Amino acid sequence: MDESRFTRRGSLVRLGGLAAGALGVAGLEAGSSDGAGPAAVASGQVSCVLTPEQTEGPYHIPDELVRRNITEGRAGTPLSLRAYVVDASTCKAIKNAAVDIWHADAGGVYSGFGAGTVNRTFMRGIQRTNAKGLALFRTVYPGWYQGRTVHIHVKVHLGGSVVHTGQLYFPDTVTDAAYRTAPYTSRPSRSTRNATDSVYRNGGKKSLMTVRKSGSAYVATIMMGVHRG
Ligand code: FE
């Protein structure tokens, strides 16, 4: 898909229009046969977990830029986010879902909110899942802000409708290690960890990412089971 045609505002509305018009809703929403499939679920070889719905919080901005690298050059330890979307009923990969993420920068600041960031778009973006249900992002390890454990917000859109709103979490021990390097060391210790986070407590464990070190960067992987709505 030609990403350049989409602008910051109204892109998903246009995607919805495309879905219903030129491509057909079925074309955009068709699940890949690449997933494990219902037979594997029935036989107990695979189980899909419905990823918990969690509050979108106050910092969402609709219709973000369609782009893989969302950093806009801001400082931080590189993080590759690998977000899979599967049908929670069948375990099959969902192709062409729009995965919409946003998070605080290394300093704990959201673009679009607060002094100097009102017209900024850093650490926000949208990618579509491929045939394996995978959406890839390049970003940095998020910073923390008061009262919350470190997290990435996510929405999944299918055919112009939101089918999932959630938050993705990091193992605390990984964050502890990540925050021992610059620029994270320039801030005081974080106030809240997963165990004491009021949002994480509501099923957040099911949105805990697998995070591994890769050189000086991190790779975070999550599988999100969603209902097609
Ligand atoms: Fe947040």
Side-chain angles (χ1 to χ4, degrees), residues 9-22:
R9 302 295 167 202
S11 62
L12 284 172
V13 174
R14 281 203 291 284
L15 282 173
L18 275 176

Side-chain angles (χ1 to χ4, degrees), residues 55-59 102-104 110 145 148-149 151-153 167:
T55 177
E56 72 174 43
Y59 299 120
W102 67 104
H103 65 79
Y110 279 98
Y145 59 95
R148 287 303 317 278
T149 192
H151 60 278
I152 293 176
H153 294 270
Q167 300 190 17

